[in-house]
Amino acid sequence: MMTKALAAMMAVLISLVAAAPAVAQGWDPREEKQQKSKLVKKSNEAIEAFLEADPSLSAYFDKAYGYAVFPSVTKGGAGLGGARGKGVLYRAGAPMMKAYLSQVTVGLQLGGKKYREIVFFRDKAAYDAFVDGEFEFSAQATAVVASDGAGETASYDEGVAIFVLDKAGAMAEASIGGQKFKVKPLK
């Protein structure tokens, strides 16, 4: 009996010692949950901003198999450029995973800007390719600027439709590059 109690106390002590460095560095599991909530909240706000800019996008939200929302993508360049963003992958209107966007561009470019981006997936195959990390936009992929009525004339290309909405900044650009994506569990 004493051995079981001693083993239980040792297990608790070991777990406390193991967690000490993380606590000392400021890690708090509640903070991670708050960050998840903040990312989902910002993604939902981005959806509202897209719908306000172009109400016709509601058809995409209603009919798409899924979509990835990047509430803030930061892009900059001077000859060589890049972009990064973090967002949420949705399925049937529910947040499923964190999504990460990265881009490298080469060419004539100068400046920086922030924008929102939504990638709609027409079907399961396009959605699964995104989740499996097999999804990448080539230099030829075209994003439609969300404005009143743009959703009515845009169409899917190879199973995806991309919409962007500027937030701030200015950038002159004549460059080529592609976007890559990865996903992680939404903890």
Side-chain angles (χ1 to χ4, degrees):
M1 189 69 162
M2 186 68 141
T3 308
K4 287 183 182 181
L6 185 59
M9 287 186 354
M10 287 297 292
V12 168
L13 182 60
I14 289 171
S15 67
L16 289 173
V17 170
V23 171
Q25 294 174 2
W27 179 80
D28 183 351
R30 293 171 295 177
E31 185 176 311
E32 188 171 320
K33 187 173 183 177
Q34 288 172 346
Q35 288 176 350
K36 173 191 135 187
S37 299
K38 187 186 264 187
L39 182 59
V40 170
K41 181 181 178 198
K42 286 184 178 190
S43 296
N44 289 336
E45 289 169 356
I47 291 170
E48 290 174 20
F50 272 95
L51 289 171
E52 186 177 312
D54 185 1
S56 68
L57 289 177
S58 64
Y60 279 88
F61 286 104
D62 293 342
K63 295 178 183 175
Y65 186 85
Y67 46 90
V69 178
F70 299 94
S72 187
V73 178
T74 303
K75 183 175 189 176
L80 181 64
R84 297 185 64 89
K86 180 169 47 171
V88 176
L89 179 64
Y90 291 78
R91 172 74 186 102
M96 303 302 288
M97 304 180 92
K98 285 183 191 175
Y100 298 88
L101 173 156
S102 62
Q103 178 180 17
V104 175
T105 53
V106 178
L108 298 172
Q109 53 192 324
L110 182 62
K113 69 178 186 175
K114 286 191 175 202
Y115 61 94
R116 297 175 175 106
E117 182 171 326
I118 295 184
V119 181
F120 290 99
F121 305 101
R122 178 178 51 209
D123 52 34
K124 184 178 183 334
Y127 181 89
D128 288 347
F130 186 89
V131 170
D132 294 340
E134 299 168 7
F135 198 81
E136 183 177 320
F137 289 138
S138 68
Q140 292 78 29
T142 325
V144 175
V145 176
S147 60
D148 197 24
E152 294 172 358
T153 57
S155 62
Y156 285 98
D157 184 17
E158 296 187 25
V160 299
I162 312 156
F163 293 89
V164 295
L165 186 60
D166 283 341
K167 290 177 73 173
M171 187 165 183
E173 176 176 26
S175 62
I176 60 168
Q179 289 185 341
K180 292 186 179 186
F181 302 90
K182 67 179 181 177
V183 295
K184 290 186 177 180
L186 189 61
K187 296 178 184 180

